[in-house]
Amino acid sequence: MVFANRYLEAFTQHQNGQTPSQCWLFSFAVAEQWWPIVLQHLLLGMNGHINLDLGIAVARTTPQEELPAFEHDFNQINTLLAGLVDDVTKRLAKVWPLLAVLD
């Protein structure tokens, strides 16, 4: 629940005119200032939720002496996500062909 609630809390803060963490503040601001493509929305959300929220959730729920054991898991997640980018980009290009040109 800690992990999911990080995003929900940031979104609620943003909706209520409060200030979420800088990472989420940037993501929400960018989404409102211009119309990023779907892939950019995904990457902004992934950045905030995985690069920030996941680490905080693990740190809040794991004894400090056990934290180093999670490094391998975090690296695996990064490898998995990096491997999905090309496939997601290709799928999105079917909906928005200009993405294939930009890619």
Side-chain angles (χ1 to χ4, degrees):
M1 277 309 268
V2 174
F3 181 52
N5 283 337
R6 293 277 310 160
Y7 167 74
L8 297 172
E9 180 181 334
F11 183 74
T12 300
Q13 288 172 331
H14 177 70
Q15 292 293 91
N16 293 331
Q18 300 168 333
T19 305
S21 63
Q22 290 295 312
C23 185
W24 282 115
L25 182 64
F26 177 80
S27 296
F28 296 140
V30 166
E32 290 176 355
Q33 290 174 0
W34 57 282
W35 292 79
I37 63 173
V38 172
L39 183 60
Q40 290 169 308
H41 273 293
L42 291 171
L43 293 172
L44 280 169
M46 288 170 60
N47 179 56
H49 201 48
I50 295 167
N51 293 333
L52 177 68
D53 294 344
L54 183 58
I56 291 172
V58 170
R60 287 186 178 168
T61 58
T62 305
Q64 185 176 2
E65 64 275 4
E66 294 178 24
L67 288 176
F70 282 87
E71 181 178 4
H72 177 74
D73 294 337
F74 276 79
N75 289 336
Q76 291 284 72
I77 290 169
N78 287 334
T79 299
L80 172 74
L81 293 172
L84 294 173
V85 171
D86 286 339
D87 183 54
V88 170
T89 302
K90 287 177 187 172
R91 290 173 187 255
L92 289 172
K94 289 179 182 178
V95 177
W96 190 53
L98 183 57
L99 180 59
V101 175
L102 295 173
D103 190 39

